[in-house]
């Protein structure tokens, strides 16, 4: 059947070429529907518990999506001088024009309150900078808990303008529109005030950074990948036709996958933009096996059509199996907690399927119509080296086996050094402007990591209950006791200030009102005095039955975030009567998906292992070999985690999700090696030693060529500014490299250990010398 298929491909090559191009063109039209998402919410499924809580918080209070513009005098001075405050006031007024802005908070428009006789005066802290009492402003600002470490640094050296935006979320253009306006506004501001350093951060800038990094990767990494592969193929295959044919298959595979991506209505995100690069890498493997065999056959003097027909015949089954196992590996990404990684897995799986059909149909047909110069007869140095590897393993099987086991144990010792950790600021390399500005903000003013709590009193106007307020204040004080906490925003600070104001600004009255009626009157009086856009809807719900407490944190690990969340929940349950409360924030959401993603991927990889083991047992017609085939694939993954634990230690979403993908990739080498080993054992009646030599001889070159290309491809991905993709690329490259070492050393040594005393002897095998290839590769 395989021979008939190969003959049909050669015979109907023009029809295959034409029909393939027509199909690809039709599929490619779906790419018109592809857009980029700049909303960080795409990292969470609609039924994500933390996302639901976050949306509930956003719907109860004002939206918290923001742009934080941080201002720092370049000269060695603080922010409390007339010129600088005038600049802050100017930027504050301009910021109201930011698209979709609903609120602007700054040092200058902070609603300061004080008593004047029996009246409560509410107004901007800085109304007219040139005539303001700068010393008084400084004293007020640096002693106001709602300002210090939120809008002004404790040393008075840095301040910020916080712009709250409410995106309609109708199109993907809203966030880039906000960012473009803010950047243009800031550039104009910097031109007018060259003595002020400006940093821009906030959740809107975070979301936009995802989109910009994705688009940058698409523009730079994919062309770089094509260049790397083109040079690599030319160097290893020394055939322009083979190189061009492979690049054509890669392009058509990417177009097919991304076309289906568009037809399915998916949106590109940071992780899913890696799909073209990964598909490029994966498509090479199938082409290399077929082309190496074809070129070898031509070197042996076979006619062009016969050489290609034989190449298809001996490679169709292993290429199909490797494609199937690779697809299974990428489909395990559907167990990921993160939708963009599911999209990445499904897209690459579609690309691998397309690459398989293109490799066994379009590639042979294309090579048959292109001129191919018969390679000169030569014994390449890499062929001899691979043969030496085979001989070395056979002579030193016990040492190799025990040595592999020892190295594995030593590398496995590094696994405990890993911890699940996802910091969304750390998703970007330090070369990204958002990362730089955010790091500067965290060092000089405040962090952007938050934990927001909604505390429910249980009744309308219940927030005025003195006991409820006392418990809210106690919780705020408890949160401040942690060294990771930078700032706590609580309505109780306003109540205490109002109580002091209404008692002649006597410091002794800087405490919570003692009666519910008094608290309600203070609150009503204060709200009636606030200007439009600066009300208390960001802290209170409509019927005043709940309050929001915003806790700002330093840049901490996701594990520590979860520990704090648990500590706060335990404290609220044991020290207050507040029965209903919930926490939500982007930081909490990203922290939770790391753990759940790991759990989901363990399940997915477990299923993949079982299925792949069954497939290998059926294909190799041996349950023992099916089980053995898992060892050289699981050990490299464990060893890679050991290395990762020693040099890095943080296992984020990308590394955790990559496990299933890597399993599907590294199994390819094992499939090709074992298929040739079994072919020698069953068809040629070789003994174990000669079967190992045959496997090295026939497939060794193709294995190290494809491994080299895979490593090069994923190392290109490691150059991404988006660390999710970069870490995935590095971890995958390490695992693939280890897999080749184990397949070349541990796997043959293990086969010799298990089957070395069975089958024909070397002398018996010599009778089949005419069937055995020379020490060059046929596949």
């Amino acid at each position: 059947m395989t021979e008939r298929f190969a003959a049909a491909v050669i015979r109907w090559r023009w029809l295959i070429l034409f029909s393939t191009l027509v199909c690809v063109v039709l599929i490619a039209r779906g790419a018109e529907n592809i857009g980029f998402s700049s909303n960080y919410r795409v990292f969470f499924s609609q039924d994500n518990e933390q996302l639901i809580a976050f949306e509930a918080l956003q719907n109860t209070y004002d939206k918290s999506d923001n742009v934080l513009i941080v201002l720092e005098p370049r000269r060695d001075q603080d922010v409390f001088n007339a010129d600088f405050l005038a600049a802050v006031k100017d930027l504050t007024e301009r910021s109201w024009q930011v698209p979709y802005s609903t609120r602007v908070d700054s040092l200058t428009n902070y609603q300061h309150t004080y008593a004047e006789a029996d009246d409560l005066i509410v107004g901007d802290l800085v109304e007219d900078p040139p005539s303001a009492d700068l010393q008084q402003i400084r004293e007020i600002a640096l002693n106001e808990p709602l300002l210090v470490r939120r809008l002004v640094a404790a040393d008075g050296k840095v301040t910020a303008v916080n712009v709250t935006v409410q995106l309609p979320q109708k199109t993907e253009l809203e966030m880039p529109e906000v960012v473009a306006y803010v950047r243009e506004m800031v550039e104009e501001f910097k031109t007018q005030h060259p003595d002020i350093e400006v940093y821009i951060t906030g959740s809107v800038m975070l979301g936009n950074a995802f989109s910009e990094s994705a688009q940058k990767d698409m523009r730079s990494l994919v062309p770089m990948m094509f260049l790397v592969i083109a040079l690599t193929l030319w160097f290893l295959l020394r055939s322009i036709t083979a190189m061009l044919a492979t690049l054509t298959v890669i392009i058509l595979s990417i177009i097919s996958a991304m076309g289906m991506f568009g037809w399915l209505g998916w949106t590109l995100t940071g992780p899913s933009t890696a799909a073209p690069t990964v598909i490029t890498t994966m498509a090479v493997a199938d082409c290399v096996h077929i082309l190496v065999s074809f070129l070898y056959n031509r070197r042996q003097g076979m006619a062009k059509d016969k050489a290609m027909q034989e190449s298809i015949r001996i490679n169709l089954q292993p290429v199909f199996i490797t494609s199937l196992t690779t697809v299974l590996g990428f489909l395990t990404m559907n167990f990921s907690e993160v939708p963009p990684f599911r999209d990445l897995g499904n897209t690459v799986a579609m690309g691998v399927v397309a690459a398989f059909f293109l490799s066994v149909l379009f590639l042979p047909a294309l090579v048959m119509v292109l001129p191919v110069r018969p390679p000169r007869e030569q014994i390449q140095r890499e062929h001899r080296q691979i043969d030496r590897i085979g001989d070395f393993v056979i002579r030193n099987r016990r040492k190799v086996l025990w040595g592999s086991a020892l190295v594995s144990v030593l590398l496995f010792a590094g696994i405990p050094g890993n911890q699940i950790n996802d910091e969304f600021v750390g998703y970007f390399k330090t070369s990204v402007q958002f990362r730089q500005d955010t790091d500067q903000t965290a060092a000089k003013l405040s962090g952007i990591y938050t934990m927001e709590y909604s505390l429910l009193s249980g009744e309308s106007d219940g927030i005025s209950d003195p006991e409820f307020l006392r418990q809210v204040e106690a919780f705020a004080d408890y949160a401040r006791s942690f060294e990771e906490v930078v700032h706590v925003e609580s309505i109780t600070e306003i109540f205490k200030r109002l109580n002091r104001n209404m008692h002649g600004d006597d410091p002794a009255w800087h405490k919570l009102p003692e009666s519910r009626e008094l608290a309600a009157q203070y609150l009503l009086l204060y709200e009636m005095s606030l200007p439009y856009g600066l009300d208390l809807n960001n802290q209170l719900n409509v019927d005043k039955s709940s309050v929001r407490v915003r806790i700002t944190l330093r840049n901490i690990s996701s594990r520590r975030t979860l520990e704090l969340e648990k500590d706060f929940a335990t404290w609220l349950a044991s020290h207050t009567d507040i029965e209903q409360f919930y926490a939500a924030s982007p930081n909490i959401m990203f922290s939770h998906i790391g753990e759940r993603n790991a759990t989901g991927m363990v399940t997915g990889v477990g299923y993949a292992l079982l299925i792949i083991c069954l497939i290998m047992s059926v294909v190799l017609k041996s349950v023992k070999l099916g089980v053995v085939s898992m060892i050289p694939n699981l050990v490299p993954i464990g060893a890679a985690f050991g290395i990762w634990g020693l040099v890095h230690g943080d296992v984020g979403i990308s590394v955790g999700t990559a496990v299933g993908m890597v399993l599907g990739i590294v199994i390819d080498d094992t499939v090709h090696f074992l298929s040739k080993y079994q072919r020698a054992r069953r068809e040629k009646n070789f003994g174990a030693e000669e079967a190992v030599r045959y496997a090295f001889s026939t497939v060794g070159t193709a294995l190290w060529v494809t491994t080299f290309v895979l490593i090069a491809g994923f190392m290109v991905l490691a150059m991404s500014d988006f660390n999710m993709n970069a870490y995935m690329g590095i971890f995958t490259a390490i695992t693939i490299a280890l897999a080749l070492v184990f397949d070349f050393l541990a796997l043959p040594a293990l086969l010799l250990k298990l089957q070395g005393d069975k089958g024909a002897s070397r002398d018996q095998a010599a009778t089949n010398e005419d069937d055995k290839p020379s020490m060059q590769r046929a596949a």
Side-chain angles (χ1 to χ4, degrees):
M1 181 177 177
T2 304
E3 293 179 357
R4 290 198 300 270
F5 173 81
V9 171
I10 305 303
R11 179 181 180 185
W12 302 104
R13 51 185 176 271
W14 286 107
L15 177 61
I16 290 173
L17 290 174
F18 177 76
S19 58
T20 299
L21 293 175
V22 170
C23 290
V24 172
V25 169
L26 293 176
I27 295 174
R29 295 185 61 183
E32 299 174 355
N33 305 321
I34 297 177
F36 285 93
S37 176
S38 53
N39 194 329
Y40 60 85
R41 290 174 176 82
V42 298
F43 283 83
F44 310 93
S45 57
Q46 293 300 314
D47 58 350
N48 181 280
E49 180 182 346
Q50 282 69 44
L51 177 62
I52 293 173
F54 183 66
E55 295 294 353
L57 192 81
Q58 297 274 287
N59 293 330
T60 302
Y61 310 95
D62 277 353
K63 304 293 184 182
S64 59
D65 287 333
N66 73 310
V67 176
L68 188 69
I69 307 172
V70 181
L71 308 174
E72 178 186 20
R74 290 183 187 270
R75 300 171 188 156
D76 188 18
Q77 59 184 357
D78 62 25
V79 302
F80 300 103
N81 67 80
D83 291 339
F84 187 87
L85 290 176
V88 174
K89 187 175 181 66
D90 174 47
L91 184 61
T92 301
E93 293 173 352
R94 295 189 197 187
S95 297
W96 284 102
Q97 304 304 314
V98 172
Y100 314 112
S101 62
T102 59
R103 183 186 182 100
V104 179
D105 292 285
S106 73
L107 180 64
T108 59
N109 77 346
Y110 173 71
Q111 295 305 290
H112 174 56
T113 62
Y114 60 95
E116 192 170 277
D118 293 332
D119 295 328
L120 176 68
I121 307 301
V122 181
D124 291 351
L125 179 60
V126 184
E127 294 185 352
D128 184 25
S131 61
D133 185 342
L134 299 179
Q135 185 58 37
Q136 182 185 32
I137 292 172
R138 176 189 177 90
E139 184 177 350
I140 292 171
L142 296 184
N143 287 281
E144 175 52 64
L146 295 180
L147 284 177
V148 177
R149 296 186 182 88
R150 176 174 173 262
L151 293 178
V152 63
D155 60 1
K157 300 281 187 180
V158 180
T159 189
V161 176
N162 186 61
V163 184
T164 303
V165 299
Q166 185 168 342
L167 301 175
Q169 297 186 24
K170 294 181 179 179
T171 72
E172 295 294 338
L173 301 177
E174 297 163 0
M175 194 170 288
E177 179 185 358
V178 172
V179 172
Y181 186 94
V182 169
R183 285 175 174 168
E184 183 178 350
M185 179 182 70
V186 167
E187 284 303 313
E188 183 179 346
F189 176 83
K190 290 166 67 176
T191 301
Q192 297 172 353
H193 304 278
D195 57 338
I196 298 178
E197 189 72 49
V198 183
Y199 314 107
I200 313 174
T201 185
S203 60
V204 172
M205 303 305 295
L206 165 68
N208 190 73
F210 283 122
S211 176
E212 288 186 337
S213 295
Q215 295 181 54
K216 182 180 178 181
D217 284 355
M218 292 285 286
R219 291 193 301 267
S220 60
L221 296 189
V222 174
M224 188 185 302
M225 184 69 238
F226 270 96
L227 178 61
V228 169
I229 287 181
L231 293 176
T232 302
L233 290 173
W234 163 246
F235 177 75
L236 297 174
L237 301 178
R238 301 300 175 91
S239 170
I240 295 179
T241 298
M243 179 189 72
L244 293 178
T246 302
L247 292 178
T248 303
V249 169
I250 292 171
I251 293 172
L252 295 182
S253 299
I254 294 174
I255 291 174
S256 300
M258 300 313 294
M260 289 301 300
F261 187 99
W263 284 119
L264 291 170
W266 297 343
T267 302
L268 277 176
T269 57
S272 59
T273 52
T277 305
V278 178
I279 293 170
T280 298
T281 305
M282 301 310 303
V284 171
D286 294 345
C287 298
V288 166
H289 282 286
I290 291 175
L291 289 173
V292 167
S293 296
F294 168 73
L295 294 174
Y296 168 79
N297 293 336
R298 291 286 283 147
R299 243 187 331 262
Q300 300 305 305
M302 293 179 65
K304 186 178 180 181
D305 57 343
K306 295 296 183 182
M308 181 58 72
Q309 187 171 333
E310 176 64 11
S311 177
I312 296 174
R313 186 187 72 81
I314 66 174
N315 284 294
L316 182 61
Q317 185 190 60
V319 166
F320 171 74
I321 297 302
T322 56
S323 297
L324 178 60
T325 55
T326 301
V327 167
L328 286 173
F330 278 99
L331 289 180
T332 63
M333 297 175 78
N334 283 286
F335 288 88
S336 172
E337 182 74 14
V338 187
F341 277 106
R342 299 177 205 162
D343 293 345
L344 172 63
N346 291 328
T347 305
V348 176
M350 290 187 292
V352 171
V353 171
F356 166 72
F357 285 106
L358 289 167
S359 298
V360 300
L361 292 171
F362 182 82
L363 176 70
L366 182 61
V367 171
M368 291 305 300
V369 301
L370 293 176
V372 181
R373 180 183 300 176
R376 290 175 299 175
E377 185 69 29
Q378 57 181 334
I379 300 178
Q380 300 181 20
R381 184 170 55 186
E382 60 267 23
H383 291 170
R384 296 195 301 268
Q385 291 173 342
I386 289 178
D387 292 334
R388 294 193 189 106
I389 293 174
D391 291 335
F392 172 81
V393 173
I394 292 172
R395 290 195 309 269
N396 303 279
R397 65 190 73 176
R398 291 184 179 179
K399 293 180 181 179
V400 168
L401 194 59
W402 284 106
S404 300
L406 178 61
V407 171
S408 300
V409 171
L410 292 176
L411 292 178
F412 279 22
I415 293 178
N418 292 296
Q419 64 174 354
I420 297 175
N421 183 28
D422 273 297
E423 295 181 52
F424 57 76
V425 173
Y427 290 164
F428 305 94
K429 290 185 176 177
T430 53
S431 59
V432 176
Q433 190 64 48
F434 165 76
R435 172 71 183 274
Q436 295 174 7
D437 287 0
T438 302
D439 287 345
Q440 289 290 336
T441 300
K444 298 179 178 181
L445 177 63
S446 181
I448 70 166
Y449 287 11
T450 63
M451 298 177 70
E452 300 181 16
Y453 279 82
S454 181
L455 308 178
L456 286 69
S457 66
E459 58 177 325
S460 181
D461 294 317
I463 65 165
S464 298
D465 182 357
E467 179 58 24
F468 178 76
L469 288 175
R470 186 194 66 76
Q471 295 180 7
V472 172
E473 183 181 29
F475 174 60
D477 290 340
Y478 175 72
R480 293 188 185 99
S481 68
F482 289 84
E483 63 178 359
E484 296 92 348
V485 174
V486 177
H487 182 265
V488 178
E489 181 184 42
S490 169
I491 192 70
T492 56
E493 295 298 333
I494 294 178
F495 275 106
K496 289 192 292 184
R497 178 155 47 89
L498 292 174
N499 195 37
R500 185 191 67 203
N501 295 150
M502 299 309 291
H503 286 84
D505 281 330
D506 184 352
W509 288 93
H510 190 77
K511 57 184 179 180
L512 294 172
E514 296 179 354
S515 73
R516 181 169 183 161
E517 293 74 16
L518 197 59
Q521 290 175 13
Y522 289 166
L523 187 61
L524 177 61
L525 183 61
Y526 180 65
E527 286 190 299
M528 292 177 62
S529 304
L530 292 174
Y532 177 78
L534 294 177
D535 51 39
L536 293 178
N537 290 341
N538 64 331
Q539 298 184 62
L540 308 175
N541 67 341
V542 176
D543 68 349
K544 297 180 174 56
S545 63
S546 66
V547 300
R548 172 160 64 179
V549 176
R550 190 197 311 266
I551 302 171
T552 304
L553 307 168
R554 305 184 192 279
N555 292 0
I556 63 175
S557 68
S558 60
R559 183 178 64 175
R560 183 56 182 154
T561 299
L562 296 178
E563 290 173 353
L564 285 177
E565 182 189 18
K566 184 177 180 180
D567 287 343
F568 291 157
T570 301
W571 190 94
L572 283 168
S574 59
H575 290 79
T576 72
D577 298 328
I578 302 174
E579 297 183 357
Q580 291 183 299
F581 63 86
Y582 60 92
S585 72
N587 184 36
I588 292 177
M589 292 191 294
F590 278 105
S591 297
H592 274 279
I593 60 173
E595 286 199 345
R596 286 209 298 268
N597 186 73
T599 303
M601 290 310 302
V602 168
T603 303
V605 171
Y607 286 132
L609 274 174
L610 179 60
I611 295 174
I612 291 175
C613 186
L614 291 174
I615 291 174
M616 294 297 292
S617 299
V618 171
V619 171
L620 299 174
K621 299 179 181 179
S622 169
V623 175
K624 180 187 290 186
L625 285 182
V627 175
V628 168
S629 68
M630 295 295 100
I631 296 176
N633 297 295
L634 291 177
V635 171
I637 295 176
F641 270 113
I643 294 175
W644 193 262
L646 294 173
V647 301
H648 194 277
D650 289 338
V651 177
I653 298 170
S654 56
V655 174
T657 306
V659 176
M661 175 186 76
V662 169
L663 177 64
I665 296 173
V666 299
I667 195 72
D668 292 5
D669 291 352
T670 308
V671 169
H672 281 284
F673 193 94
L674 285 178
S675 66
K676 297 300 186 292
Y677 174 83
Q678 277 294 76
R679 183 165 179 255
R681 296 281 285 172
R682 295 183 180 278
E683 295 183 14
K684 300 182 178 298
N685 199 33
F686 284 175
E689 289 187 9
E690 284 304 309
V692 167
R693 284 193 175 91
Y694 179 86
F696 271 106
S697 178
T698 55
V699 82
T701 296
L703 290 185
W704 88 261
V705 168
T706 55
T707 298
F708 183 88
V709 174
L710 286 169
I711 293 174
F714 281 103
M715 288 309 295
V716 167
L717 190 62
M719 299 175 66
S720 170
D721 285 337
F722 189 50
N723 275 334
M724 269 192 172
N725 292 343
Y727 290 160
M728 181 175 65
I730 295 171
F731 180 83
T732 304
I734 292 172
T735 310
I736 291 172
L738 290 172
L740 181 68
V741 173
F742 275 87
D743 278 323
F744 271 11
L745 298 176
L747 178 59
L750 188 60
L751 291 173
L752 292 170
K753 173 68 175 177
L754 296 176
Q755 297 187 321
D757 58 342
K758 300 178 182 179
S761 66
R762 183 167 183 167
D763 293 336
Q764 291 172 323
T767 60
N768 297 309
E769 191 66 29
D770 57 326
D771 289 330
K772 176 184 149 186
S774 66
M775 294 304 169
Q776 295 185 6
R777 287 9 180 218

